[in-house]
């Protein structure tokens, strides 16, 4: 069958309607298919990228231990191991004993660090505590162990591990227990304080970081500039799917609105770009224990507060601990300080 017709006027051959429309339809179909493929590809890249962010958040890179208390500051120590309170993880650490002392400070390290967290620096603080006759417990949270399948949970499982450290001290030395937390380790200490039964005599919280949607996005945006939407909802979606714990499991509202029974020394810097100091100031206003203190360092950065004012940092923290040893704490309890626990 012929695919052209004879023009009755000019006598020339002309294409049929099918010949005119079919190439156009084929091009239109090709464009639509190409667009759909590109759309699926771009959507997949966006989803994979945000899934990768959620995956890496729970698996921070941790440097191996470079030293120990004896090498770093000439403090004898004992290698220790203990389970979390819920038995889901086992922790390794060091116990630095002060002869004849029953008062102990437990360090709670931050996200991406380990028990020696050199930029703080924990070894120096351990030496200062030892001079004041405090035992010191330094340990790694479960997600630090490269042979473990444990993931970072924003304080959910970490608080159970800190409770395990408290239980270890209760069984080994007894006496008063103080928590000294840094960054997410300080946020974990606050979550732990919601679950303890009067075992914590006081806490020092340096650069307190609590994981919620706002702080998550703020820290994501410092690594790569992303629009808040849809980036934040996508990471929040993938986080529990890939890591087994939801950001909603972190009791952010309860932590930030509780008046804790024990004295707390909150220390923060105005140039903290990971955890806003205004949140810590608001939390401090909730505290009713008259021994609690707040120190905001102008221009100081996240977890670099000791380095900003080393002598003042040591003197203020040691004075705080000395002021809240059991007799001082008992006086506040007897005075009828309200508690939300």
């Amino acid at each position: 069958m012929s695919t052209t017709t004879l023009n009755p006027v000019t006598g020339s051959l002309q294409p049929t309607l099918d010949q005119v429309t079919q190439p156009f339809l084929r091009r239109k179909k090709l464009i639509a298919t190409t667009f759909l493929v590109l759309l699926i590809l771009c959507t997949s890249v966006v989803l994979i990228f945000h899934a990768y962010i959620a995956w890496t958040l729970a698996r921070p890179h941790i440097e191996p231990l470079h030293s120990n208390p004896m090498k770093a500051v000439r403090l004898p120590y004992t290698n220790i191991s203990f389970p979390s309170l819920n038995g889901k993880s086992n922790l390794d650490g060091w116990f630095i004993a002060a002869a004849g002392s029953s008062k102990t400070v437990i360090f709670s390290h931050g996200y991406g660090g380990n028990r020696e967290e050199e930029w703080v620096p924990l070894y120096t603080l351990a030496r200062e505590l030892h001079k004041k006759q405090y035992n010191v417990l330094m340990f790694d949270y479960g997600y630090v162990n490269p042979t473990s399948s444990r993931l970072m949970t924003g304080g959910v499982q970490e608080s159970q591990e800190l409770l395990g450290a408290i239980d270890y001290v209760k069984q080994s030395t007894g006496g008063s227990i103080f928590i000294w937390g840094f960054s997410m380790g300080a946020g974990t200490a606050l979550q732990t304080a919601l679950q303890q039964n009067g075992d914590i005599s006081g806490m020092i919280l340096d650069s307190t970081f609590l994981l919620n949607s706002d702080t998550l996005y703020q820290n994501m945006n410092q690594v790569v500039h992303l629009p808040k939407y849809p980036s934040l909802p996508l990471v929040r979606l993938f986080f529990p799917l890939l890591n087994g714990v939801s950001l909603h499991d972190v009791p952010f509202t309860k932590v930030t609105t509780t008046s804790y029974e024990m004295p707390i020394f909150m220390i923060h810097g105005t140039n903290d770009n990971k955890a806003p100091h205004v949140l810590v100031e608001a939390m401090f206003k909730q505290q009713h224990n008259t021994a609690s203190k707040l120190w905001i360092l102008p221009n100081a950065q996240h977890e670099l507060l000791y380095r900003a004012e080393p002598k003042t940092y040591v003197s203020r923290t040691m004075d705080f601990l000395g002021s809240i040893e059991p007799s001082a704490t008992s006086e506040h309890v007897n005075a009828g300080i309200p508690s939300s626990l």
Side-chain angles (χ1 to χ4, degrees):
M1 181 180 295
S2 174
T3 58
T4 59
T5 59
L6 181 67
N7 190 310
V9 178
T10 64
S12 63
L13 293 176
Q14 293 182 334
T16 64
L17 181 62
D18 285 345
Q19 286 181 303
V20 174
T21 58
Q22 283 180 2
F24 172 76
L25 291 174
R26 284 197 297 269
R27 284 195 299 271
K28 185 176 180 181
K29 183 178 180 180
L30 178 62
I31 292 172
T33 302
T34 303
F35 177 78
L36 181 60
V37 170
L38 289 174
L39 180 62
I40 294 173
L41 180 61
C42 291
T43 301
S44 299
V45 169
V46 170
L47 292 176
I48 291 171
F49 175 71
H50 288 89
Y52 175 74
I53 292 176
W55 189 88
T56 55
L57 279 171
R59 299 164 178 83
H61 171 72
I62 310 291
E63 287 290 322
L65 295 172
H66 296 292
S67 188
N68 60 55
M70 177 57 77
K71 290 181 180 179
V73 288
R74 305 301 299 171
L75 292 177
Y77 68 96
T78 302
N79 289 311
I80 62 171
S81 296
F82 56 89
S84 61
L85 189 65
N86 61 8
K88 291 185 177 181
S89 50
N90 290 297
L91 301 314
D92 298 320
W94 299 317
F95 189 80
I96 305 168
S101 177
S102 63
K103 55 186 182 180
T104 303
V105 172
I106 301 174
F107 283 144
S108 175
H109 70 76
Y111 175 86
N114 54 32
R115 73 185 85 163
E116 63 183 1
E117 210 157 353
E118 295 176 339
W119 58 86
V120 170
L122 292 188
Y123 286 128
T124 300
L125 296 179
R127 181 179 57 195
E128 296 298 330
L129 288 166
H130 191 262
K131 290 178 183 177
K132 299 290 185 180
Q133 291 298 298
Y134 289 93
N135 305 310
V136 179
L137 194 157
M138 306 169 71
F139 76 102
D140 294 334
Y141 281 112
Y143 66 84
V144 172
N145 189 342
T147 64
S148 171
S149 60
R150 256 275 285 124
L151 305 178
M152 188 282 301
T153 63
V156 177
Q157 174 59 21
E158 289 80 7
S159 61
Q160 289 294 308
E161 294 171 346
L162 184 51
L163 286 167
I166 291 171
D167 195 52
Y168 175 88
V169 173
K170 287 169 60 178
Q171 294 182 31
S172 58
T173 63
S176 53
I177 300 173
F178 307 92
I179 309 298
W180 197 332
F182 304 87
S183 188
M184 189 176 288
T188 295
L190 288 168
Q191 293 184 55
T192 303
L194 294 174
Q195 306 171 63
Q196 59 93 39
N197 296 310
D199 295 321
I200 302 175
S201 297
M203 299 194 295
I204 299 174
L205 306 179
D206 180 318
S207 306
T208 302
F209 179 92
L210 288 162
L211 188 60
N212 75 338
S213 295
D214 290 336
T215 54
L216 173 61
Y217 176 71
Q218 183 177 344
N219 283 268
M220 284 168 44
N221 204 40
Q222 290 174 29
V223 178
V224 55
H225 293 296
L226 297 169
K228 191 169 186 178
Y229 301 98
S231 291
L232 182 57
L234 285 174
V235 172
R236 291 178 60 182
L237 170 68
F238 283 119
F239 199 90
L241 295 176
L242 297 174
N243 305 322
V245 63
S246 170
L247 296 182
H248 295 297
D249 295 330
V250 178
F252 180 84
T253 301
K254 188 173 183 180
V255 166
T256 55
T257 58
T258 292
S259 174
Y260 293 88
E261 65 179 7
M262 74 287 294
I264 302 175
F265 187 12
M266 297 180 175
I267 314 173
H268 220 89
T270 59
N271 281 8
D272 192 323
N273 60 359
K274 296 183 179 181
H277 65 91
V278 292
L279 176 62
V280 171
E281 292 172 328
M283 289 173 58
F284 180 73
K285 291 179 180 178
Q286 303 293 325
Q287 307 311 308
H288 293 91
N289 192 310
T290 57
S292 291
K293 297 181 181 297
L294 174 67
W295 181 24
I296 301 295
L297 283 74
N299 305 317
Q301 300 178 36
H302 190 74
E303 280 198 283
L304 298 179
L305 308 183
Y306 168 88
R307 296 185 182 277
E309 296 190 34
K311 292 183 179 179
T312 307
Y313 186 98
V314 170
S315 64
R316 289 198 179 194
T317 51
M318 298 302 155
D319 288 347
F320 172 74
L321 288 173
S323 71
I324 62 167
E325 288 183 16
S327 58
T329 304
S330 298
E331 290 175 6
H332 289 294
V333 172
N334 293 335
I337 300 301
S339 168
S340 62
L341 300 183

